[in-house]
């Protein structure tokens, strides 16, 4: 069996806009903020498994330094401080065979750090997603 991966099958939108201008390598990382389950063992060996109700996660994207979304995201962050409108819909659709989709409200943690050099660099934005 042959599997085919195409990064063009990953579609990421924030506040209804399809994000473009990704970096040249790994461009999206999705992480859950907590473990789904934890356990403890009593002094006599009884095991209790707990289900963690925290469904939040983090989506980190890497953009090329010249992506138009750097200006858009920075403007959203600045406006959010004055309007309290920081939660916006984030959707990630993987159209591949083993796709894992996300559709939830999210906010951008902070402005990306800037770095300038000989060639165009990469910048990262981190989104906290309410439900992974």
């Amino acid at each position: 069996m042959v599997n085919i991966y195409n990064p063009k099958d990953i579609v990421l939108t924030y506040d209804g806009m399809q994000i473009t201008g990704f970096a040249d390598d790994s461009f999206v990382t999705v992480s859950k903020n907590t473990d789904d389950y934890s356990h403890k063992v009593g002094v006599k060996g009884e095991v209790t498994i707990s289900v963690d109700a925290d469904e939040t996660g983090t989506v980190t994207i890497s953009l090329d330094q010249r992506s138009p979304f750097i200006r858009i995201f920075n403007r959203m962050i600045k406006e959010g401080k004055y309007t309290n409108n920081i939660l916006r819909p984030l959707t990630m659709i993987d159209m591949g065979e083993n796709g894992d989709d996300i559709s939830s409200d999210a906010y951008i943690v902070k402005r990306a750090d800037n770095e300038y050099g000989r060639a165009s660099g990469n910048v990262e934005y981190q989104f906290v997603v309410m439900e992974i």
Side-chain angles (χ1 to χ4, degrees):
M1 174 189 247
V2 175
N3 293 312
I4 298 173
Y5 169 76
N6 186 343
K8 291 181 180 180
D9 287 344
I10 309 296
V11 177
L12 189 65
T13 64
Y14 188 63
D15 200 27
M17 296 176 284
Q18 185 171 338
I19 300 170
T20 60
F22 289 106
D24 59 348
D25 195 12
S26 181
F27 61 97
V28 179
T29 303
V30 179
S31 304
K32 194 163 181 311
N33 287 337
T34 59
D35 294 338
D36 289 321
Y37 307 100
S38 62
H39 73 278
K40 69 178 185 175
V41 180
V43 295
K44 294 191 176 193
E46 300 97 346
V47 177
T48 301
I49 297 173
S50 298
V51 178
D52 195 317
D54 183 356
E55 294 295 327
T56 63
T58 303
V59 173
T60 303
I61 64 170
S62 185
L63 298 175
D64 183 83
Q65 189 174 8
R66 293 293 165 209
S67 171
F69 276 85
I70 294 171
R71 178 168 281 141
I72 292 168
F73 291 155
N74 289 343
R75 187 182 70 240
M76 286 178 170
I77 293 166
K78 188 174 185 176
E79 288 174 358
K81 289 183 178 183
Y82 299 107
T83 64
N84 291 329
N85 182 21
I86 61 171
L87 279 177
R88 298 168 190 259
L90 181 137
T91 304
M92 186 186 85
I93 299 170
D94 181 352
M95 296 182 288
E97 292 178 16
N98 295 324
D100 192 17
D101 300 338
I102 296 171
S103 183
S104 180
D105 285 334
Y107 67 90
I108 305 170
V109 175
K110 69 178 187 85
R111 292 174 58 112
D113 296 332
N114 293 321
E115 185 176 308
Y116 302 96
R118 179 181 294 205
S120 177
N122 298 336
V123 298
E124 287 190 345
Y125 283 91
Q126 188 176 57
F127 299 81
V128 172
V129 180
M130 299 302 106
E131 186 175 350
I132 289 271

